Amino acid sequence: MSVVEYGNDSKTGRNLSVAAATLLLVTGTTMSYTSEIFGEMEPPMAFVKESNLLAFDLKQSIITEYGKVESSSHMVEEEVNIDLKMPPVRSYKRKATISKRIHATPMVEISGLV
Amino acid sequence: MEYPWYKFVDGTIEIQQGERIENCPIVIPPTNIGKEGIEVEIREYNVVVLSQSCDLENDKIDIVLVAPYWTFLEVEKIKPEYVSKRNKNKFREGLIPGYHLLDKCDLDEFKSEHVIVDFRNIYGVDIKFLREYIKDKKRIRLLPPYREHLSQAFARHFMRVGLPSGIPQFT
């Protein structure tokens, strides 16, 4: 007798079917819940690692329900604004006279234009 | 296979892109140009040549485009916060707009630390003057592909476009 026949034909079978279905439901729920809690063990560690980075910016981070810090790519590849304005090796002044002023003229002439 | 960054150059007036010239005199355009005499400032910078080698070789240009550079040590003396370890790596990754990092040089004839090239303030030097100036000077020249990488970095800086409002980050 098959399981189906056995389950359909007797009170015991029905009880077994209900028990199996319940077991499946509980197992599935547990597995799903477990992966959410334990499958991502990284989040707490990631939070610690991220918080130690010099570039860590609280405003840039998004803290999820389980404490996972999702850093934006912008934070990792953030450009730094620097303006060197370094002095020259040395500088000095000289007097100059203007010998002639030249107005810019085209280097080539285009023929055929009216 | 090794790819050295630099080649030592001596005794030639040929100039190429990526050539490093020390103490290069640069005439700074004056603020006011009077009808008669003017006073001009001459600044000497350590510079790297940005003009294309083919333009220089074929006398296509009269003015050579150059960009000044400084070592981390020189920057540290004036602005130490700019050369923190984090910022040095940002320079290395090309994440500091307007600047480009060149590797140190370990050639026996020419030792140099890492240098930061400044694309924000570039200068023009008369080509005839520059050829005369360098003919007795020892210098180093960037080799491919680092030379092309410098040129590309300069082009990228020059063609940048700032948007008034960017696309918001996807979440």
Side-chain angles (χ1 to χ4, degrees):
Chain A
M1 179 182 286
S2 68
V3 173
V4 174
E5 290 171 318
Y6 186 80
N8 286 337
D9 289 345
S10 69
K11 184 178 178 184
T12 306
R14 281 201 297 278
N15 288 341
L16 279 174
S17 297
V18 171
T22 305
L23 183 62
L24 278 172
L25 181 64
V26 170
T27 304
T29 305
T30 304
M31 284 173 66
S32 170
Y33 193 65
T34 302
S35 67
E36 283 185 347
I37 295 288
F38 297 104
E40 302 276 350
M41 276 304 287
E42 294 173 14
M45 295 304 294
F47 180 80
V48 173
K49 283 179 190 173
E50 293 290 352
S51 64
N52 286 334
L53 288 177
L54 291 175
F56 184 64
D57 184 356
L58 282 171
K59 293 178 188 174
Q60 298 285 345
S61 66
I62 303 169
I63 301 178
T64 65
E65 183 181 348
Y66 297 109
K68 179 180 177 180
V69 176
E70 294 177 0
S71 306
S72 64
S73 60
H74 173 74
M75 187 193 84
V76 176
E77 298 173 358
E78 184 180 344
E79 287 185 345
V80 177
N81 198 10
I82 280 180
D83 194 4
L84 279 186
K85 281 195 168 63
M86 290 290 292
V89 178
R90 66 181 190 128
S91 72
Y92 42 91
K93 295 206 174 160
R94 291 284 184 273
K95 293 279 185 194
T97 54
I98 299 174
S99 57
K100 57 181 174 178
R101 294 173 188 264
I102 302 174
H103 293 282
T105 53
M107 296 295 290
V108 296
E109 290 182 1
I110 303 174
S111 59
L113 294 176
V114 177
Chain B
M1 189 174 179
E2 287 188 14
Y3 292 93
W5 276 70
Y6 301 101
K7 170 185 162 183
F8 179 71
V9 181
D10 189 14
T12 173
I13 62 169
E14 182 199 349
I15 306 171
Q16 286 191 13
Q17 184 183 61
E19 196 139 317
R20 282 171 51 170
I21 300 168
E22 292 192 316
N23 299 93
C24 180
I26 290 168
V27 178
I28 305 299
T31 310
N32 296 308
I33 298 179
K35 288 186 180 177
E36 295 177 357
I38 55 174
E39 191 176 62
V40 293
E41 182 186 2
I42 313 289
R43 292 184 197 162
E44 290 184 8
Y45 287 108
N46 296 328
V47 299
V48 61
V49 175
L50 295 178
S51 295
Q52 297 279 356
S53 299
C54 51
D55 289 340
L56 294 161
E57 194 178 316
N58 296 311
D59 289 322
K60 293 280 179 70
I61 53 176
D62 296 325
I63 304 292
V64 180
L65 205 61
V66 298
Y69 66 77
W70 294 272
T71 63
F72 279 140
L73 205 60
E74 288 168 327
V75 176
E76 192 178 17
K77 284 178 187 170
I78 297 177
K79 292 179 183 173
E81 66 276 13
Y82 280 172
V83 289
S84 62
K85 186 180 173 184
R86 174 174 172 253
N87 281 343
K88 280 183 184 176
N89 280 311
K90 293 287 183 188
F91 275 117
R92 187 179 61 82
E93 292 163 21
L95 292 177
I96 302 193
Y99 301 98
H100 185 72
L101 184 67
L102 298 180
D103 199 9
K104 58 184 180 176
C105 180
D106 289 324
L107 295 172
D108 290 333
E109 305 89 345
F110 197 108
K111 299 279 185 190
S112 165
E113 293 300 313
H114 296 90
V115 296
I116 306 167
V117 182
D118 182 1
F119 291 147
R120 296 183 180 192
N121 296 291
I122 53 178
Y123 301 96
V125 186
D126 184 88
I127 193 168
K128 292 188 196 112
F129 168 82
L130 199 59
R131 282 182 176 140
E132 186 63 32
Y133 182 76
I134 62 165
K135 69 179 180 185
D136 297 325
K137 292 190 171 43
K138 295 178 182 180
R139 54 200 194 274
I140 51 175
R141 191 179 278 174
L142 265 178
L143 292 171
Y146 311 104
R147 179 180 66 198
E148 286 74 19
H149 190 230
L150 167 78
S151 179
Q152 185 189 58
F154 176 61
R156 201 163 49 235
H157 165 72
F158 213 79
M159 69 182 190
R160 73 197 186 283
V161 176
L163 297 177
S165 58
I167 300 170
Q169 190 178 6
F170 294 107
T171 55

